[in-house]
Amino acid sequence: MTDGIVSRISGPVVLASGLEGAQMFDVVRIGELGLVGEIIRLEGNKATIQVYEDTTGLRPGEKVINTKRPLSLQLGPGLLTSIYDGIQRPLDVLRAQSGDFISRGNVIPALDQTKKWDFIPVKKKGDHVFPGEIIGEVQETPLIMHKIMIPYNIEGELTEISEGKYNVNEIVGSVQTNSSKVEIGLSSWWTVRVPRPVLRKLPPEEPLLTGQRVLDTFFPVAKGGTAAIPGPFGSGKTVTQQQLAKWADSNVIVYVGCGERGNEMTEVLTTFPKLEDPKSKRPLMERTILVANTSNMPVAAREASIYTGITMGEYYRDMGYGVALMADSTSRWAEALREISGRLEEMPGEEGYPAYLGRRLAEFYERGGKAVVISPEERIGSLTLVGAVSPPGGDFSEPVSQNTLRVTRVFWALDASLASRRHFPSINWLTSYSLYADNMGEWYKNNVGNDWVALRKEALEILQRESELQEIVQLVGYDALPEPEKGVLDTARSIREDYLQQSAYDEVDTYTSIKKQYLLLRTILEFGRKESDAIKKGATSSKIGALESRKMISRIKWTKEDQVGTLVADTFDTMQKEFNTLMIEVTT
Amino acid sequence: MSGVAFKTLSKIAGPLIFVEGVDNAAYGEMVEIKLPNGERRQGQVLDTRQGLAVVQVFGPTLGMTTSGTTTKFTGETAMMSVSDEMLGRVFDGLGNPRDNGPKIVSKQKVDLVGSGINPYAREEPSEFIQTGMSNIDGMNTLVRGQKLPIFSGSGLPHNLLAAQIARQAKVLGGSENFSVVFAAIGITSEESNFFIKQFEESGALGRTALFLNLSSDPSMERILTPRLALTTAEFLAYERDMHVLVIITDMTNYCEALREIAAAREEVPGRRGYPGYMYTDLSSLYERAGKIKGRHGSVTQIPILTMPADDITHPIPDLTGYITEGQIVMSRDLHRSGIHPPVDVLTSLSRLMNQGIGKGNTREDHRGLADQLYAAYAQGKDARSLAAIVGEEALSDLDKKFLKVANNFERKFVDQGMDENRSIEQTLDIGWELLSELSDSEMNRIKPEFIAKYGKRTTPGGA
C-alpha cells in the first residue's frame, strides 16, 4: 500500500493519484498540514477526496496518506456533556490546543484518554456471553449509567473481567470465542456510515413528551418516531428544536447543529448547563451530546456531522435508552451534498441536488425507531429523529422538504405569518399532522385521562370551524355574525391564546406537564360549552367575555405546576357560579 | 512556486484565465498578472492541478492576451497588512489607498479568509446597543457581536438608516472604544460620498476605515472587498480591544459577482443561477461577527442588501436570513406614507434580542411590552385590511381599538425622522402610551405587575 499524491484541488474536493489499494470511504490525511478527508470516488488508482477542512494553500504534488479506516467514532464513557465538531473532535479541547479560531490538521481524540472510570462488572468470569450482552457498567454522569456491551460478532466464554478504574483505552475483560481470544475495552469503534443493527423494530406507541402544548396535545411524536419541522427563517425552527432538546422526556439527547449560526450554538452551550431536568433536577447537559458544525466550518464536515450524531444516538439506544436526536438543519446537510456533488460534476437532479438526495434522506430517517436491540435478554431502546428543514423562501414544494415529508410521520408546519404576529411556537394547527396520534390514544387514555382523545378532537374541530368562520368575517364583518358563531370564535381564540401560545422564555410557561395540559384544555373547553349553552339561552358573547373566570383561565398557563390544581378547581367553581348568575339575569 | 513567471495563458474566459505549465500552484494562492501594455492586475487561484491553474482576475481582462501576458505566482495566499493607522483612511476594493495617503506598511500580515471562530470560544452576545431608533431598540434589539442585516429595496432609504445607526449607536453606561469599518460593494459614488459626509459630520471619520468598491470599479474586486473590511474589523476588535461596527453595502452586488464567476466556470447553477455554495460563501462573511471569550472587543455587522423586486424569497435575502441573527426589513408602503425609517416591524426580527433586554440591560417590562405591541400591531393591520372590505363601521369595537393602536404605532413609534435620537426609556414609554387604548385583559402578553407599574392610564382601570 502506497501513499498518494495530490493532483488537483477545487475547493473542498481534492483528486489524488497513486493510492494503491484504497477503499471507498477510507479516511486520508492530506498534505503537510495533514488535513482530514474521505475517499468518495475511485477510478483506477485515482481517488476523489472530500476534505473536512479548508484546503486553501494546498498544492498539487503534496502527499496523501491513507489511514485505511473509514470515518469512525470512538464510543465510550465521556461522550455525554461533550461538544464535538462534525467529525467528533471535541471543540473545547481543540480550543485549548489551538486557540479561539479553528486551525487545521488537528487530530484530537474524541474521548478523554486519561480519565479513569469506575467499571463495575455485572457478569462474572466463566459466564457465556452473547453479542450485545451487557457485561458491566460505568456511571458516566449522575443521570446515565453507561453500559459496556459485547461487540456484535463476538460470542463465547468470559475468561477475564474485573472491577476497577480504567481509562477508555484499557481492557476490562476478554472473551474466548471458538477461534480466538477477544479483548473487550471500555470503549469501542463504529463506522459512522453504517447503521448499528437491531433485532427487530417495534411500532412506536408511547409519546415523547416535550412539555410543549401544541406538540404533546395536538401533534405528538412517538418515542422512536420521526418528525420534520420545515419553516422559513425567523419562524422559530431553532427555538422549537432547542425546546425539544431541553424538555423532551428522553434519557439521552443528541443535538446536531448542522450548518447553523455560531452564536446559537454558544447560546446552547451557555444555557444547557444552567438548566435542570424537570424530573431529576440535574443539569440537562448531563444527558446531552452536542455536535456543532457552524455554517462557516468546512462543508464536507457538515455532511458528516449528521452521521456522527446519529451513530452516537444509536449507541445509547443499544444500551436500552430512549434517545432523541435533533438535527438543525437537514437542509444545510442536503446543500453540502449538493455542493460536493457539483464539484464532482455529477448530473444534477431537481434544483441542482444530486439524484440520490431522496435515498440519503430516507436512509437517515430509517436509522431511527423503537427497537429490540441485539442482546440475549430482551432490551428495548428507541431513537427519535427530529429534523428541521429550511426551505428556500419558505416554499415547501422544494426537494428537501418533499423528500423529508415522504419519510417522516409527523409534520410540524412552521408558519411565517404566525411568527410575525408573535404567535409562538408558530406551528400551524391546520396544516400540521401526526400519524402517531391515533396509535397513541390508548396511552393517553391510560396515563392522562379517559376523555383525552375526545378533548383533543373537540379542540381541533373548534379551530377548524374558526378558520371557516374567519373567511365569512372577511366578507361580512364580525358584527354581522350570529351570536353562536361569535361564541365559537371566542373559544377558538382562547385555545389559541391560552393554550397554543407558549413562551419559551418564561420560567413557568416554557414547560407544561401533560397533566397540566389536560387540566388546562379541559377548563378552556368547559368554558366554551357553557358559553355556547348560555348563548342559546340568550346571553351575548361580549358579556361572557367579561367574566372573571375567563380571566382566570388566561392565568392558568403562567401558574406553577404545584398550584395549577387549586387554580383550576377555583376556576371551575367561579365559572359555575358566574354562568348560573348569568342564566338568572338572562331568563328574568 | 514563488517568483516564477509564466507566459503560458491558454484561455481567457470572462474573469478567469487558464495558466498552463504550472505544476504546483496552491489553492487560493495570489497571482500577479502583467498585461502586455504594462498594466498590473491581481488574481487568485480557484482550481489547481498538475499542468494547469485556473486564476480569477480581480479587475477587467480588457487588453489581456494569451501570448503576451505574464503571470507570477506569489507563493502566498491572500494576506493583508493591518495596523492602527487604518482608521481614518479610505481604501479601494483591493485595499490600496484611495485617499492619496501612504500605503499601509506593517509587519503584521493576516490571512484574508480567516478561519472560523470555534463555537466553544464564542461569548454569547448580550450587551444592548442603543441605536436611538424605536423600531430597533424597542422591537428588534441589536446587541454587540450580532449580525443584523437590513433588507431593503431599490429607492428605499436604507442608507439613511444605516448612517443614523452608525451615528447614534452606543452602549448604555459603557465608556467607548468604538470604531466603524465601512465596506462599499458596487455602490454609486454618490452613495459613497453620502456615507463619507455622514461620518465626517458626526466626527466619526477619524475612527472609521473605509473600503470602497464603486459601481465603476471591477466587479471581481467585490469578492475581496468585504473580506478586507472584516479582516480589518477582526484586527481592531481582537487585537486592539475595540467594539467595531461593520457596515457592508450592498450585498446584492457581492452575490452578483459570485454568480458571474460561477457562470464563467460553467458550474452547475443552484436557484436563479446563483452557485450552490452561495450559502457557505455568505456564511464565511456573516459568521465573522461575534465576541470571543477573554477578549474585549467585538464585531457587530450590519450588512445591507437590496431585494430584487422587493422579493424576500429571492436567494440573496433568503440565504442571508438563514445565516444572520434576524433582519430589519424596509417597507415600500410605509415609505410611501412618509414614515421614516420605513421599517416593517412585523417581518423584522432580532434573534438575540432576549439576551440584550430585560432587567439589568434595558428594563424589566421590555419583553412583554414588545410582544404586546407586535400582537396589537398585527391585529390592527388585520383590522385595517378587513376595514378596506367591509368598512370601518362594521368592525367590532375591539378591532376598532386595535386599528387605532396600529395607526398610532406607525405614526408615533416607528416614525421618528432623521434626527431624533430616542433613549430606550423614551421608546418604551411611547409603547406604553400606545397601549393605553387597551384594557388590562387585552394586554395578555404582559405580566399584570408591569401593567400596574408602567402602564399609562388616562383613566384608572383601563380605557
PDB file of all heavy atoms in Angstrom, chain A residues 8-9 57-58 100 102 259 261 263 295 332 391 393 421-422, chain B residues 27 47-48 116 118 279 283 295 318 322 324-325 374 382 444:
ATOM      1  N   ARG A   8      -5.100  17.457  -8.019  1.00  0.00           N
ATOM      2  CA  ARG A   8      -5.953  18.595  -8.341  1.00  0.00           C
ATOM      3  C   ARG A   8      -6.698  19.045  -7.090  1.00  0.00           C
ATOM      4  O   ARG A   8      -7.091  18.222  -6.270  1.00  0.00           O
ATOM      5  CB  ARG A   8      -6.953  18.196  -9.429  1.00  0.00           C
ATOM      6  CG  ARG A   8      -7.870  19.341  -9.819  1.00  0.00           C
ATOM      7  CD  ARG A   8      -8.894  18.937 -10.853  1.00  0.00           C
ATOM      8  NE  ARG A   8      -9.801  20.056 -11.066  1.00  0.00           N
ATOM      9  CZ  ARG A   8     -10.870  20.013 -11.845  1.00  0.00           C
ATOM     10  NH1 ARG A   8     -11.168  18.906 -12.516  1.00  0.00           N
ATOM     11  NH2 ARG A   8     -11.642  21.078 -11.984  1.00  0.00           N
ATOM     12  N   ILE A   9      -6.906  20.361  -6.964  1.00  0.00           N
ATOM     13  CA  ILE A   9      -7.653  20.887  -5.822  1.00  0.00           C
ATOM     14  C   ILE A   9      -8.721  21.837  -6.340  1.00  0.00           C
ATOM     15  O   ILE A   9      -8.435  22.739  -7.117  1.00  0.00           O
ATOM     16  CB  ILE A   9      -6.745  21.671  -4.856  1.00  0.00           C
ATOM     17  CG1 ILE A   9      -5.567  20.803  -4.429  1.00  0.00           C
ATOM     18  CG2 ILE A   9      -7.516  22.145  -3.635  1.00  0.00           C
ATOM     19  CD1 ILE A   9      -4.277  21.563  -4.339  1.00  0.00           C
ATOM     20  N   GLY A  57      -4.218  26.966   0.259  1.00  0.00           N
ATOM     21  CA  GLY A  57      -2.779  26.809   0.431  1.00  0.00           C
ATOM     22  C   GLY A  57      -2.257  25.433   0.065  1.00  0.00           C
ATOM     23  O   GLY A  57      -1.050  25.220  -0.035  1.00  0.00           O
ATOM     24  N   LEU A  58      -3.163  24.484  -0.146  1.00  0.00           N
ATOM     25  CA  LEU A  58      -2.743  23.135  -0.527  1.00  0.00           C
ATOM     26  C   LEU A  58      -2.274  23.139  -1.996  1.00  0.00           C
ATOM     27  O   LEU A  58      -2.849  23.827  -2.820  1.00  0.00           O
ATOM     28  CB  LEU A  58      -3.949  22.200  -0.360  1.00  0.00           C
ATOM     29  CG  LEU A  58      -3.706  20.703  -0.384  1.00  0.00           C
ATOM     30  CD1 LEU A  58      -2.881  20.289   0.825  1.00  0.00           C
ATOM     31  CD2 LEU A  58      -5.042  19.967  -0.356  1.00  0.00           C
ATOM     32  N   ASP A 100      -8.603  30.348  19.674  1.00  0.00           N
ATOM     33  CA  ASP A 100     -10.005  30.711  19.502  1.00  0.00           C
ATOM     34  C   ASP A 100     -10.532  30.445  18.097  1.00  0.00           C
ATOM     35  O   ASP A 100     -11.725  30.335  17.880  1.00  0.00           O
ATOM     36  CB  ASP A 100     -10.189  32.197  19.823  1.00  0.00           C
ATOM     37  CG  ASP A 100      -9.909  32.483  21.294  1.00  0.00           C
ATOM     38  OD1 ASP A 100     -10.039  31.544  22.087  1.00  0.00           O
ATOM     39  OD2 ASP A 100      -9.566  33.623  21.627  1.00  0.00           O
ATOM     40  N   ILE A 102     -10.523  28.092  14.580  1.00  0.00           N
ATOM     41  CA  ILE A 102     -10.316  26.677  14.292  1.00  0.00           C
ATOM     42  C   ILE A 102      -9.134  26.501  13.350  1.00  0.00           C
ATOM     43  O   ILE A 102      -9.139  27.000  12.232  1.00  0.00           O
ATOM     44  CB  ILE A 102     -11.592  26.066  13.711  1.00  0.00           C
ATOM     45  CG1 ILE A 102     -12.633  26.038  14.822  1.00  0.00           C
ATOM     46  CG2 ILE A 102     -11.340  24.676  13.164  1.00  0.00           C
ATOM     47  CD1 ILE A 102     -13.967  25.581  14.418  1.00  0.00           C
ATOM     48  N   GLY A 259     -24.543  23.287  10.143  1.00  0.00           N
ATOM     49  CA  GLY A 259     -24.508  24.475   9.288  1.00  0.00           C
ATOM     50  C   GLY A 259     -25.321  25.626   9.828  1.00  0.00           C
ATOM     51  O   GLY A 259     -25.892  26.386   9.068  1.00  0.00           O
ATOM     52  N   ARG A 261     -25.911  28.850  12.965  1.00  0.00           N
ATOM     53  CA  ARG A 261     -25.195  30.035  13.446  1.00  0.00           C
ATOM     54  C   ARG A 261     -24.303  29.724  14.652  1.00  0.00           C
ATOM     55  O   ARG A 261     -24.706  29.026  15.571  1.00  0.00           O
ATOM     56  CB  ARG A 261     -26.208  31.092  13.862  1.00  0.00           C
ATOM     57  CG  ARG A 261     -27.153  31.449  12.759  1.00  0.00           C
ATOM     58  CD  ARG A 261     -28.227  32.390  13.249  1.00  0.00           C
ATOM     59  NE  ARG A 261     -29.147  32.680  12.182  1.00  0.00           N
ATOM     60  CZ  ARG A 261     -30.225  31.967  11.911  1.00  0.00           C
ATOM     61  NH1 ARG A 261     -30.512  30.919  12.650  1.00  0.00           N
ATOM     62  NH2 ARG A 261     -31.012  32.289  10.916  1.00  0.00           N
ATOM     63  N   ASN A 263     -23.339  31.821  17.003  1.00  0.00           N
ATOM     64  CA  ASN A 263     -23.846  32.407  18.247  1.00  0.00           C
ATOM     65  C   ASN A 263     -24.965  31.565  18.853  1.00  0.00           C
ATOM     66  O   ASN A 263     -25.162  31.562  20.055  1.00  0.00           O
ATOM     67  CB  ASN A 263     -24.343  33.833  18.006  1.00  0.00           C
ATOM     68  CG  ASN A 263     -23.195  34.828  17.964  1.00  0.00           C
ATOM     69  OD1 ASN A 263     -22.149  34.595  18.555  1.00  0.00           O
ATOM     70  ND2 ASN A 263     -23.384  35.927  17.268  1.00  0.00           N
ATOM     71  N   SER A 295     -22.065  27.246  10.195  1.00  0.00           N
ATOM     72  CA  SER A 295     -22.134  27.423   8.749  1.00  0.00           C
ATOM     73  C   SER A 295     -20.797  27.802   8.141  1.00  0.00           C
ATOM     74  O   SER A 295     -20.570  27.584   6.959  1.00  0.00           O
ATOM     75  CB  SER A 295     -23.191  28.466   8.400  1.00  0.00           C
ATOM     76  OG  SER A 295     -22.903  29.675   9.063  1.00  0.00           O
ATOM     77  N   ARG A 332     -29.196  22.176   5.357  1.00  0.00           N
ATOM     78  CA  ARG A 332     -27.777  22.536   5.217  1.00  0.00           C
ATOM     79  C   ARG A 332     -26.957  21.297   4.873  1.00  0.00           C
ATOM     80  O   ARG A 332     -25.970  21.361   4.157  1.00  0.00           O
ATOM     81  CB  ARG A 332     -27.258  23.144   6.519  1.00  0.00           C
ATOM     82  CG  ARG A 332     -28.028  24.319   6.980  1.00  0.00           C
ATOM     83  CD  ARG A 332     -27.865  25.497   6.017  1.00  0.00           C
ATOM     84  NE  ARG A 332     -28.962  26.433   6.212  1.00  0.00           N
ATOM     85  CZ  ARG A 332     -29.790  26.820   5.265  1.00  0.00           C
ATOM     86  NH1 ARG A 332     -29.654  26.391   4.036  1.00  0.00           N
ATOM     87  NH2 ARG A 332     -30.762  27.663   5.531  1.00  0.00           N
ATOM     88  N   PRO A 391     -36.607  25.430   4.025  1.00  0.00           N
ATOM     89  CA  PRO A 391     -36.899  25.547   2.603  1.00  0.00           C
ATOM     90  C   PRO A 391     -36.645  26.970   2.099  1.00  0.00           C
ATOM     91  O   PRO A 391     -37.033  27.921   2.775  1.00  0.00           O
ATOM     92  CB  PRO A 391     -38.384  25.194   2.508  1.00  0.00           C
ATOM     93  CG  PRO A 391     -38.925  25.421   3.863  1.00  0.00           C
ATOM     94  CD  PRO A 391     -37.810  25.252   4.833  1.00  0.00           C
ATOM     95  N   GLY A 393     -37.121  30.395   0.740  1.00  0.00           N
ATOM     96  CA  GLY A 393     -38.311  31.208   0.576  1.00  0.00           C
ATOM     97  C   GLY A 393     -39.530  30.641   1.279  1.00  0.00           C
ATOM     98  O   GLY A 393     -40.652  31.061   1.010  1.00  0.00           O
ATOM     99  N   ARG A 421     -46.746  37.676  13.888  1.00  0.00           N
ATOM    100  CA  ARG A 421     -47.599  38.270  14.914  1.00  0.00           C
ATOM    101  C   ARG A 421     -47.243  37.709  16.288  1.00  0.00           C
ATOM    102  O   ARG A 421     -48.004  37.797  17.226  1.00  0.00           O
ATOM    103  CB  ARG A 421     -49.072  38.082  14.586  1.00  0.00           C
ATOM    104  CG  ARG A 421     -49.506  36.617  14.480  1.00  0.00           C
ATOM    105  CD  ARG A 421     -50.895  36.520  13.917  1.00  0.00           C
ATOM    106  NE  ARG A 421     -50.933  37.153  12.609  1.00  0.00           N
ATOM    107  CZ  ARG A 421     -51.988  37.775  12.130  1.00  0.00           C
ATOM    108  NH1 ARG A 421     -53.076  37.888  12.852  1.00  0.00           N
ATOM    109  NH2 ARG A 421     -51.955  38.299  10.923  1.00  0.00           N
ATOM    110  N   ARG A 422     -46.072  37.160  16.377  1.00  0.00           N
ATOM    111  CA  ARG A 422     -45.508  36.642  17.622  1.00  0.00           C
ATOM    112  C   ARG A 422     -46.408  35.602  18.282  1.00  0.00           C
ATOM    113  O   ARG A 422     -46.570  35.581  19.488  1.00  0.00           O
ATOM    114  CB  ARG A 422     -45.190  37.785  18.597  1.00  0.00           C
ATOM    115  CG  ARG A 422     -44.123  38.753  18.079  1.00  0.00           C
ATOM    116  CD  ARG A 422     -42.908  37.997  17.555  1.00  0.00           C
ATOM    117  NE  ARG A 422     -41.787  38.885  17.213  1.00  0.00           N
ATOM    118  CZ  ARG A 422     -41.449  39.235  15.972  1.00  0.00           C
ATOM    119  NH1 ARG A 422     -42.150  38.804  14.938  1.00  0.00           N
ATOM    120  NH2 ARG A 422     -40.396  39.980  15.748  1.00  0.00           N
TER     121      ARG A 422
ATOM    122  N   TYR B  27      -3.911  26.125  -3.860  1.00  0.00           N
ATOM    123  CA  TYR B  27      -5.300  26.541  -3.931  1.00  0.00           C
ATOM    124  C   TYR B  27      -5.440  27.835  -3.131  1.00  0.00           C
ATOM    125  O   TYR B  27      -5.010  27.920  -1.985  1.00  0.00           O
ATOM    126  CB  TYR B  27      -6.203  25.445  -3.349  1.00  0.00           C
ATOM    127  CG  TYR B  27      -7.662  25.803  -3.353  1.00  0.00           C
ATOM    128  CD1 TYR B  27      -8.378  25.853  -4.551  1.00  0.00           C
ATOM    129  CD2 TYR B  27      -8.329  26.115  -2.175  1.00  0.00           C
ATOM    130  CE1 TYR B  27      -9.703  26.188  -4.569  1.00  0.00           C
ATOM    131  CE2 TYR B  27      -9.662  26.452  -2.185  1.00  0.00           C
ATOM    132  CZ  TYR B  27     -10.354  26.493  -3.384  1.00  0.00           C
ATOM    133  OH  TYR B  27     -11.671  26.830  -3.392  1.00  0.00           O
ATOM    134  N   ASP B  47      -8.703  26.868  -9.002  1.00  0.00           N
ATOM    135  CA  ASP B  47      -8.680  25.434  -9.289  1.00  0.00           C
ATOM    136  C   ASP B  47      -7.256  25.139  -9.719  1.00  0.00           C
ATOM    137  O   ASP B  47      -6.690  25.872 -10.516  1.00  0.00           O
ATOM    138  CB  ASP B  47      -9.672  25.130 -10.424  1.00  0.00           C
ATOM    139  CG  ASP B  47      -9.918  23.627 -10.581  1.00  0.00           C
ATOM    140  OD1 ASP B  47      -9.008  22.832 -10.275  1.00  0.00           O
ATOM    141  OD2 ASP B  47     -11.011  23.257 -11.037  1.00  0.00           O
ATOM    142  N   THR B  48      -6.660  24.133  -9.125  1.00  0.00           N
ATOM    143  CA  THR B  48      -5.262  23.880  -9.483  1.00  0.00           C
ATOM    144  C   THR B  48      -5.026  22.392  -9.668  1.00  0.00           C
ATOM    145  O   THR B  48      -5.568  21.568  -8.937  1.00  0.00           O
ATOM    146  CB  THR B  48      -4.315  24.449  -8.391  1.00  0.00           C
ATOM    147  OG1 THR B  48      -2.997  23.983  -8.642  1.00  0.00           O
ATOM    148  CG2 THR B  48      -4.724  24.016  -6.995  1.00  0.00           C
ATOM    149  N   GLY B 116     -12.700  29.971  10.940  1.00  0.00           N
ATOM    150  CA  GLY B 116     -13.906  30.216  11.709  1.00  0.00           C
ATOM    151  C   GLY B 116     -13.615  30.275  13.197  1.00  0.00           C
ATOM    152  O   GLY B 116     -12.664  29.658  13.681  1.00  0.00           O
ATOM    153  N   ASN B 118     -14.070  29.093  16.753  1.00  0.00           N
ATOM    154  CA  ASN B 118     -14.524  27.881  17.424  1.00  0.00           C
ATOM    155  C   ASN B 118     -15.780  28.223  18.243  1.00  0.00           C
ATOM    156  O   ASN B 118     -15.731  29.120  19.064  1.00  0.00           O
ATOM    157  CB  ASN B 118     -13.390  27.403  18.347  1.00  0.00           C
ATOM    158  CG  ASN B 118     -13.695  26.079  18.999  1.00  0.00           C
ATOM    159  OD1 ASN B 118     -14.860  25.752  19.239  1.00  0.00           O
ATOM    160  ND2 ASN B 118     -12.655  25.321  19.280  1.00  0.00           N
ATOM    161  N   TYR B 279     -24.584  29.762   0.036  1.00  0.00           N
ATOM    162  CA  TYR B 279     -24.840  29.762   1.485  1.00  0.00           C
ATOM    163  C   TYR B 279     -23.521  29.679   2.254  1.00  0.00           C
ATOM    164  O   TYR B 279     -23.260  30.463   3.161  1.00  0.00           O
ATOM    165  CB  TYR B 279     -25.753  28.595   1.847  1.00  0.00           C
ATOM    166  CG  TYR B 279     -26.004  28.446   3.328  1.00  0.00           C
ATOM    167  CD1 TYR B 279     -27.000  29.190   3.958  1.00  0.00           C
ATOM    168  CD2 TYR B 279     -25.247  27.578   4.100  1.00  0.00           C
ATOM    169  CE1 TYR B 279     -27.233  29.076   5.309  1.00  0.00           C
ATOM    170  CE2 TYR B 279     -25.473  27.462   5.460  1.00  0.00           C
ATOM    171  CZ  TYR B 279     -26.463  28.205   6.059  1.00  0.00           C
ATOM    172  OH  TYR B 279     -26.678  28.086   7.404  1.00  0.00           O
ATOM    173  N   SER B 283     -21.886  32.639   4.505  1.00  0.00           N
ATOM    174  CA  SER B 283     -21.674  32.436   5.932  1.00  0.00           C
ATOM    175  C   SER B 283     -20.222  32.688   6.307  1.00  0.00           C
ATOM    176  O   SER B 283     -19.929  33.091   7.430  1.00  0.00           O
ATOM    177  CB  SER B 283     -22.104  31.032   6.340  1.00  0.00           C
ATOM    178  OG  SER B 283     -21.285  30.090   5.730  1.00  0.00           O
ATOM    179  N   ARG B 295     -11.536  38.031  25.279  1.00  0.00           N
ATOM    180  CA  ARG B 295     -11.048  39.196  24.531  1.00  0.00           C
ATOM    181  C   ARG B 295     -12.080  40.303  24.684  1.00  0.00           C
ATOM    182  O   ARG B 295     -13.257  40.043  24.845  1.00  0.00           O
ATOM    183  CB  ARG B 295     -10.872  38.845  23.047  1.00  0.00           C
ATOM    184  CG  ARG B 295      -9.957  37.648  22.852  1.00  0.00           C
ATOM    185  CD  ARG B 295      -9.418  37.619  21.447  1.00  0.00           C
ATOM    186  NE  ARG B 295      -8.824  36.313  21.167  1.00  0.00           N
ATOM    187  CZ  ARG B 295      -7.967  36.109  20.179  1.00  0.00           C
ATOM    188  NH1 ARG B 295      -7.609  37.095  19.395  1.00  0.00           N
ATOM    189  NH2 ARG B 295      -7.471  34.898  19.974  1.00  0.00           N
ATOM    190  N   ASP B 318     -32.905  35.405   1.155  1.00  0.00           N
ATOM    191  CA  ASP B 318     -33.290  34.134   1.769  1.00  0.00           C
ATOM    192  C   ASP B 318     -32.100  33.486   2.478  1.00  0.00           C
ATOM    193  O   ASP B 318     -32.164  33.156   3.656  1.00  0.00           O
ATOM    194  CB  ASP B 318     -33.845  33.209   0.687  1.00  0.00           C
ATOM    195  CG  ASP B 318     -34.525  31.985   1.271  1.00  0.00           C
ATOM    196  OD1 ASP B 318     -35.409  32.182   2.126  1.00  0.00           O
ATOM    197  OD2 ASP B 318     -34.161  30.870   0.898  1.00  0.00           O
ATOM    198  N   TYR B 322     -31.104  33.086   6.657  1.00  0.00           N
ATOM    199  CA  TYR B 322     -30.827  31.821   7.333  1.00  0.00           C
ATOM    200  C   TYR B 322     -29.503  31.847   8.098  1.00  0.00           C
ATOM    201  O   TYR B 322     -29.228  30.976   8.902  1.00  0.00           O
ATOM    202  CB  TYR B 322     -30.779  30.674   6.320  1.00  0.00           C
ATOM    203  CG  TYR B 322     -32.147  30.105   5.982  1.00  0.00           C
ATOM    204  CD1 TYR B 322     -32.624  30.097   4.690  1.00  0.00           C
ATOM    205  CD2 TYR B 322     -32.937  29.558   6.983  1.00  0.00           C
ATOM    206  CE1 TYR B 322     -33.869  29.566   4.380  1.00  0.00           C
ATOM    207  CE2 TYR B 322     -34.172  29.035   6.691  1.00  0.00           C
ATOM    208  CZ  TYR B 322     -34.646  29.036   5.385  1.00  0.00           C
ATOM    209  OH  TYR B 322     -35.863  28.503   5.113  1.00  0.00           O
ATOM    210  N   THR B 324     -27.939  35.093   9.257  1.00  0.00           N
ATOM    211  CA  THR B 324     -27.848  36.212  10.195  1.00  0.00           C
ATOM    212  C   THR B 324     -28.796  36.017  11.371  1.00  0.00           C
ATOM    213  O   THR B 324     -29.706  35.196  11.319  1.00  0.00           O
ATOM    214  CB  THR B 324     -28.191  37.525   9.484  1.00  0.00           C
ATOM    215  OG1 THR B 324     -29.461  37.373   8.856  1.00  0.00           O
ATOM    216  CG2 THR B 324     -27.154  37.856   8.451  1.00  0.00           C
ATOM    217  N   GLU B 325     -28.565  36.806  12.394  1.00  0.00           N
ATOM    218  CA  GLU B 325     -29.405  36.674  13.592  1.00  0.00           C
ATOM    219  C   GLU B 325     -30.559  37.656  13.513  1.00  0.00           C
ATOM    220  O   GLU B 325     -30.695  38.547  14.335  1.00  0.00           O
ATOM    221  CB  GLU B 325     -28.550  36.903  14.830  1.00  0.00           C
ATOM    222  CG  GLU B 325     -27.686  35.693  15.139  1.00  0.00           C
ATOM    223  CD  GLU B 325     -26.227  36.029  15.270  1.00  0.00           C
ATOM    224  OE1 GLU B 325     -25.865  37.204  15.206  1.00  0.00           O
ATOM    225  OE2 GLU B 325     -25.430  35.087  15.430  1.00  0.00           O
ATOM    226  N   TYR B 374     -46.250  43.938  19.197  1.00  0.00           N
ATOM    227  CA  TYR B 374     -46.286  43.100  17.997  1.00  0.00           C
ATOM    228  C   TYR B 374     -47.689  42.572  17.748  1.00  0.00           C
ATOM    229  O   TYR B 374     -48.241  42.680  16.660  1.00  0.00           O
ATOM    230  CB  TYR B 374     -45.365  41.889  18.190  1.00  0.00           C
ATOM    231  CG  TYR B 374     -43.992  42.083  17.638  1.00  0.00           C
ATOM    232  CD1 TYR B 374     -42.889  42.073  18.471  1.00  0.00           C
ATOM    233  CD2 TYR B 374     -43.802  42.277  16.282  1.00  0.00           C
ATOM    234  CE1 TYR B 374     -41.610  42.253  17.978  1.00  0.00           C
ATOM    235  CE2 TYR B 374     -42.532  42.461  15.785  1.00  0.00           C
ATOM    236  CZ  TYR B 374     -41.440  42.452  16.634  1.00  0.00           C
ATOM    237  OH  TYR B 374     -40.190  42.633  16.135  1.00  0.00           O
ATOM    238  N   ASP B 382     -54.573  43.565  10.525  1.00  0.00           N
ATOM    239  CA  ASP B 382     -55.651  42.706  10.021  1.00  0.00           C
ATOM    240  C   ASP B 382     -56.952  43.490   9.961  1.00  0.00           C
ATOM    241  O   ASP B 382     -57.699  43.414   8.985  1.00  0.00           O
ATOM    242  CB  ASP B 382     -55.856  41.504  10.954  1.00  0.00           C
ATOM    243  CG  ASP B 382     -54.784  40.461  10.770  1.00  0.00           C
ATOM    244  OD1 ASP B 382     -53.989  40.614   9.816  1.00  0.00           O
ATOM    245  OD2 ASP B 382     -54.729  39.511  11.572  1.00  0.00           O
ATOM    246  N   ASN B 444     -52.673  40.620  27.240  1.00  0.00           N
ATOM    247  CA  ASN B 444     -52.399  39.309  27.823  1.00  0.00           C
ATOM    248  C   ASN B 444     -50.948  38.874  27.677  1.00  0.00           C
ATOM    249  O   ASN B 444     -50.571  37.837  28.161  1.00  0.00           O
ATOM    250  CB  ASN B 444     -53.336  38.263  27.221  1.00  0.00           C
ATOM    251  CG  ASN B 444     -53.265  38.256  25.714  1.00  0.00           C
ATOM    252  OD1 ASN B 444     -52.605  39.120  25.122  1.00  0.00           O
ATOM    253  ND2 ASN B 444     -53.906  37.300  25.081  1.00  0.00           N
TER     254      ASN B 444
END
